[in-house]
Amino acid sequence: MSFFSVVSRDKDSDARTGKMILPHGVVDTPVFMPVGTLGTVKAIDFSDLTDMGFNMILGNTYHLYLRPGMEVISAAGGLHKFIGWDKNILTDSGGFQVFSLSKLRKITDDGVAFRSHIDGSSHFFSPEEVVRIQRILGSDVMMQLDVCTSPGISYKEALEAVKLTTSWAIRSKKELANYDDYTGVLFPIIQGNFFPELRKRSAEELLQLDLPGIAIGGLSVGEEFSVFEDTLAYTVGFIPQNKPRYIMGIGTPEYILTAVEKGIDMFDCVFPTRTARNASVFTHTGRISLKRKEYQKDFSPIDNTCDCYTCRNYSKAYLRHLFKSGEIMASVLATHHNIYFLKNLVDKIREHITTGDYAKFKADFLSAYSGGKE
Amino acid sequence: MSFFSVVSRDKDSDARTGKMILPHGVVDTPVFMPVGTLGTVKAIDFSDLTDMGFNMILGNTYHLYLRPGMEVISAAGGLHKFIGWDKNILTDSGGFQVFSLSKLRKITDDGVAFRSHIDGSSHFFSPEEVVRIQRILGSDVMMQLDVCTSPGISYKEALEAVKLTTSWAIRSKKELANYDDYTGVLFPIIQGNFFPELRKRSAEELLQLDLPGIAIGGLSVGEEFSVFEDTLAYTVGFIPQNKPRYIMGIGTPEYILTAVEKGIDMFDCVFPTRTARNASVFTHTGRISLKRKEYQKDFSPIDNTCDCYTCRNYSKAYLRHLFKSGEIMASVLATHHNIYFLKNLVDKIREHITTGDYAKFKADFLSAYSGGKE
């Protein structure tokens, strides 16, 4: 059986369902991966993720490399054992965090020198080193070190980033070939900013490596929604059906529904957990802020159509009180709801692709999902 | 069947087990009540408390009165409904918080005027008002408004506090008689600082009211352990066997074991939850700080004799990492352990009183519990 197989295809769009066979279990796609930056999905326990049916999370190589550091994770026998999660883990390469978080990023052909955002200490990531780190982490899916760029940069700069990303993908694949014991897979990352020809070039170059799956980086970075949609559709167009496609950093219902429609199989985002800690929660009629005064005596659940633990047991008035009081359980209960909400959405997405009415499902969902009060 | 009955007595001490029949279920004593200051036991969900076997928690009248306020809790139909906890709740009277937290406490015969520690707003608690508030909360056990005093005050001041506390107990009982619908019970609070004759006077005066149970306040406020022990034993000596005795603010194994030995049936404390959030956790060999460097690569659980969720699933190294990273799950997992540890201790206390070897159990526990590394 192959690593990835398409199970069903939507007749009206590029949406599809699939199965991905990974070392820690079979993953049904499309799949949303909660982000466990530092080896914990913030404010939710792994047992809750398991109970909800998740079997794949994301970890951040940059963060874990800095804290607790590879010595500790290596001594634990890898990330799964260290954090007590025996299902799949995808780790990013740190390319995006070096770009967005670290100080003094200096890119050479060799790799990237940077300073830690925690203590300013100096570090260097080469494509090879990042493969070695992720091998020690024991990632089920590892990502190549890539070069991220800001929207609005010149064609020349974007071209340089694409060239380097391709070169680093080749080196990553070569480095990984040294490790017979590694049972996971490596994905390259398509860059190219918002220049269609660079997206094409990046995709084509990386696909020549014939790695098991492929990621799309550098989208949802502040561009107009239509630009996101068009660039995504255009980029996916170069990827054959037999590769799982992973778009990095997508986590709202609108973006997820569109990404799936364009043929995306995997996505991750801190959005649902981060906004939950800020009292912003999903409902089927849009996001709401639990801090709003109007919920002071609203004893109904966040969403009366939701059957998550939080909605079955607690009211908006109570959750508002917890947020107003700065209670830890506010974050815990809101995070639980948001993660459950997305899990449920993605489960339904798979269901409706299978039954063949994905377009209607998407339209109905988004039609209802426009009455939020943030 | 009476409200409280002693089930078994220790032959070598005043320890006893009992049953207390309350509106939201029968409580086995001795009982430790986790503190849910603002209608949430910090960093632990009610379902976990229920799973551990808790059926009684404490709420703080002062805090709940200020936030979310009685209007909200009244609209919810009481505290149980507001917070989603259908087991017993004991609420304190606010006397201690007005004493320790609020600004500008001014005591008159009528009651106590104070300013909120949150926004400085002015409020007034009379004994009657505090009964009315707790009736709206729907407390299964309500406490009288009392006058707390600092260690080291004069006999005269302590005497005044005792007199007023007695007078307020009488008024509380009288006020409560107006409410036929109230199904809970009222406890008065013995004060008297560290003056034996005032403790005696306070106990005797309050016992004349023949309320269902009685509390002891003003202990464990910084005094030597032997002074605590002696004052407690002396005070309990005045209370008949048929009343449950509640000592306020006790929550470490040493204090609990001693309090039980002196005939105490109920206790509460923020200590296990507060210290957990500060990385300090119980083990059978004493408390340890999970932040210690020596746990960096210690992949064993907090306590290898503990079968709580945290100890079954996570290592000290992982928990240390979570604390070092400021992760919410650090507080959640450590709180779970500390609360479970105390529950387990108190369950064993009841068991050993019943089997008749409480003295040995206490000695053995404390002998092991002296090797902590905080």
Side-chain angles (χ1 to χ4, degrees):
Chain A
M1 203 171 169
S2 60
F3 160 68
F4 177 76
S5 49
V6 173
V7 173
S8 66
R9 285 192 204 172
D10 183 38
K11 60 185 193 304
D12 305 313
S13 74
D14 293 320
R16 74 256 187 91
T17 64
K19 280 197 186 297
M20 193 162 50
I21 302 174
L22 286 169
H24 290 84
V26 176
V27 175
D28 292 319
T29 62
V31 60
F32 171 72
M33 300 174 286
V35 178
T37 302
L38 277 158
T40 166
V41 179
K42 288 185 199 298
I44 187 166
D45 188 66
F46 289 127
S47 63
D48 289 322
L49 295 176
T50 299
D51 289 350
M52 290 181 194
F54 285 103
N55 67 353
M56 187 164 193
I57 63 166
L58 184 139
N60 288 123
T61 293
Y62 169 89
H63 289 283
L64 292 163
Y65 163 83
L66 291 178
R67 205 166 47 182
M70 300 316 296
E71 196 191 328
V72 170
I73 297 177
S74 177
L79 186 58
H80 294 81
K81 285 189 182 158
F82 180 61
I83 70 176
W85 167 256
D86 64 359
K87 301 184 172 57
N88 295 294
I89 301 175
L90 177 149
T91 49
D92 62 8
S93 62
F96 180 73
Q97 281 73 29
V98 167
F99 165 69
S100 59
L101 283 180
S102 76
K103 293 162 183 167
L104 296 171
R105 178 177 78 141
K106 188 167 157 38
I107 299 174
T108 60
D109 284 354
D110 260 5
V112 54
F114 62 96
R115 287 183 183 276
S116 158
H117 72 291
I118 303 168
D119 61 7
S121 55
S122 295
H123 301 273
F124 186 80
F125 275 174
S126 68
E128 292 82 3
E129 179 62 14
V130 163
V131 165
R132 287 191 289 267
I133 290 171
Q134 292 178 92
R135 176 175 162 261
I136 293 170
L137 293 175
S139 314
D140 298 284
V141 178
M142 66 164 69
M143 306 301 299
Q144 73 150 111
L145 185 65
D146 58 336
V147 181
C148 302
T149 55
S150 306
I153 60 160
S154 70
Y155 179 87
K156 187 164 169 288
E157 285 174 282
L159 173 63
E160 284 310 309
V162 165
K163 282 184 181 172
L164 214 46
T165 297
T166 298
S167 142
W168 289 1
I170 294 165
R171 285 165 54 188
S172 302
K173 184 180 176 183
K174 197 172 163 202
E175 175 65 20
L176 189 60
N178 295 327
Y179 305 109
D180 288 348
D181 60 344
Y182 182 70
T183 56
V185 291
L186 166 69
F187 284 16
I189 303 171
I190 301 173
Q191 291 292 349
N193 212 280
F194 295 97
F195 301 100
E197 61 212 272
L198 293 184
R199 285 279 165 190
K200 177 171 188 282
R201 174 177 175 152
S202 184
E204 288 178 347
E205 287 179 354
L206 296 176
L207 283 161
Q208 282 179 25
L209 298 177
D210 198 26
L211 288 161
I214 192 158
I216 299 170
L219 291 185
S220 188
V221 290
E223 73 278 15
E224 295 271 320
F225 189 79
S226 63
V227 174
F228 161 77
E229 201 171 359
D230 293 347
T231 312
L232 177 63
Y234 179 78
T235 307
V236 172
F238 299 101
I239 310 174
Q241 288 287 332
N242 66 350
K243 306 271 184 211
R245 299 97 170 240
Y246 163 34
I247 183 162
M248 308 180 82
I250 296 297
T252 65
E254 302 94 323
Y255 276 80
I256 288 174
L257 284 160
T258 296
V260 166
E261 188 178 42
K262 305 303 177 198
I264 290 295
D265 307 297
M266 304 161 67
F267 27 87
D268 75 283
C269 196
V270 295
F271 184 83
T273 44
R274 182 174 291 167
T275 55
R277 296 195 303 283
N278 198 30
S280 174
V281 288
F282 297 122
T283 81
H284 73 284
T285 58
R287 271 192 300 140
I288 60 171
S289 170
L290 289 170
K291 288 187 180 165
R292 288 172 70 92
K293 174 87 174 171
E294 69 185 277
Y295 300 135
Q296 191 176 29
K297 288 186 229 168
D298 185 333
F299 303 111
S300 67
I302 294 172
D303 187 332
N304 56 22
T305 69
C306 178
D307 62 349
C308 83
Y309 177 78
T310 302
C311 286
R312 280 186 286 111
N313 290 281
Y314 300 105
S315 68
K316 288 198 276 293
Y318 179 62
L319 295 167
R320 178 180 188 274
H321 163 63
L322 295 185
F323 272 109
K324 286 282 174 187
S325 305
E327 287 286 347
I328 285 177
M329 288 309 295
S331 292
V332 170
L333 294 170
T335 298
H336 190 102
H337 169 80
N338 272 6
I339 287 286
Y340 184 96
F341 186 93
L342 277 197
K343 179 68 171 70
N344 193 40
L345 172 64
V346 176
D347 286 351
K348 279 187 184 154
I349 284 174
R350 281 199 308 277
E351 196 181 305
H352 287 281
I353 294 172
T354 305
T355 55
D357 59 350
Y358 179 70
K360 182 176 184 312
F361 171 74
K362 182 189 172 211
D364 289 350
F365 182 93
L366 290 178
S367 163
Y369 192 78
S370 54
K373 293 185 219 168
E374 268 243 295
Chain B
M1 203 170 165
S2 60
F3 160 68
F4 177 76
S5 49
V6 173
V7 174
S8 66
R9 286 192 202 171
D10 183 39
K11 61 184 191 308
D12 305 314
S13 74
D14 292 321
R16 76 258 186 92
T17 64
K19 281 196 187 298
M20 194 163 47
I21 302 174
L22 286 169
H24 290 84
V26 176
V27 175
D28 292 318
T29 61
V31 60
F32 171 72
M33 300 174 286
V35 178
T37 302
L38 276 157
T40 166
V41 179
K42 289 186 197 298
I44 187 165
D45 188 65
F46 289 128
S47 63
D48 288 321
L49 295 177
T50 299
D51 289 349
M52 290 181 195
F54 285 102
N55 68 353
M56 187 164 193
I57 62 167
L58 184 139
N60 288 122
T61 292
Y62 169 89
H63 289 283
L64 292 162
Y65 162 83
L66 292 177
R67 204 165 48 182
M70 300 316 297
E71 194 190 329
V72 170
I73 297 177
S74 176
L79 186 58
H80 294 82
K81 285 188 182 157
F82 179 62
I83 70 176
W85 168 256
D86 63 0
K87 301 184 173 57
N88 296 295
I89 302 175
L90 178 150
T91 48
D92 61 8
S93 61
F96 181 72
Q97 280 73 30
V98 167
F99 165 68
S100 60
L101 284 179
S102 75
K103 293 162 184 168
L104 296 171
R105 179 176 77 141
K106 188 167 157 38
I107 300 174
T108 60
D109 283 354
D110 259 6
V112 54
F114 61 96
R115 287 183 182 276
S116 158
H117 71 291
I118 303 168
D119 62 6
S121 55
S122 294
H123 301 272
F124 186 80
F125 275 174
S126 68
E128 291 82 3
E129 179 63 15
V130 162
V131 165
R132 288 192 288 267
I133 291 170
Q134 293 179 91
R135 176 174 161 263
I136 293 170
L137 293 175
S139 314
D140 299 283
V141 178
M142 66 164 69
M143 306 301 299
Q144 73 150 110
L145 184 65
D146 59 336
V147 181
C148 301
T149 55
S150 307
I153 59 160
S154 70
Y155 180 88
K156 188 163 170 289
E157 286 173 283
L159 173 63
E160 284 310 309
V162 164
K163 282 184 182 171
L164 214 46
T165 296
T166 297
S167 142
W168 289 359
I170 294 165
R171 285 165 54 187
S172 301
K173 183 179 175 183
K174 197 172 163 200
E175 175 65 20
L176 189 61
N178 295 327
Y179 307 109
D180 286 348
D181 60 344
Y182 181 69
T183 56
V185 291
L186 166 70
F187 284 16
I189 304 172
I190 301 172
Q191 292 291 349
N193 212 281
F194 295 97
F195 300 100
E197 61 211 90
L198 293 185
R199 285 278 163 192
K200 176 171 188 282
R201 175 179 175 152
S202 184
E204 288 178 347
E205 287 179 354
L206 296 175
L207 283 162
Q208 281 179 27
L209 298 176
D210 198 26
L211 287 161
I214 192 158
I216 299 170
L219 291 186
S220 188
V221 289
E223 74 278 15
E224 294 272 320
F225 189 79
S226 62
V227 174
F228 162 77
E229 200 170 0
D230 293 347
T231 312
L232 177 63
Y234 179 78
T235 307
V236 173
F238 299 101
I239 310 175
Q241 288 287 333
N242 68 346
K243 305 272 184 210
R245 299 96 172 239
Y246 164 32
I247 183 162
M248 308 181 81
I250 296 297
T252 64
E254 303 93 320
Y255 277 80
I256 288 174
L257 285 160
T258 295
V260 166
E261 189 178 42
K262 304 303 177 198
I264 290 295
D265 307 297
M266 305 160 68
F267 27 87
D268 75 283
C269 195
V270 296
F271 184 83
T273 44
R274 182 174 290 167
T275 55
R277 296 196 303 283
N278 198 30
S280 175
V281 287
F282 297 122
T283 81
H284 74 283
T285 57
R287 273 192 298 142
I288 61 172
S289 170
L290 288 169
K291 288 187 179 163
R292 288 173 70 92
K293 174 87 173 172
E294 69 184 278
Y295 300 135
Q296 190 175 29
K297 288 186 230 166
D298 184 333
F299 302 111
S300 67
I302 294 170
D303 187 332
N304 55 22
T305 68
C306 178
D307 62 349
C308 82
Y309 177 78
T310 302
C311 286
R312 280 186 287 111
N313 291 280
Y314 300 106
S315 68
K316 287 197 278 291
Y318 179 63
L319 295 167
R320 178 180 188 274
H321 163 64
L322 295 185
F323 273 109
K324 286 281 173 187
S325 305
E327 288 285 348
I328 285 176
M329 287 308 295
S331 292
V332 171
L333 294 170
T335 297
H336 189 101
H337 169 80
N338 271 6
I339 288 286
Y340 184 95
F341 186 93
L342 277 197
K343 180 69 171 72
N344 194 39
L345 172 64
V346 176
D347 287 351
K348 280 187 183 152
I349 284 174
R350 281 200 308 277
E351 197 180 305
H352 287 281
I353 294 171
T354 306
T355 56
D357 58 350
Y358 180 69
K360 182 177 182 312
F361 171 74
K362 183 190 172 209
D364 289 350
F365 183 93
L366 291 178
S367 162
Y369 192 77
S370 54
K373 291 185 220 166
E374 269 240 296

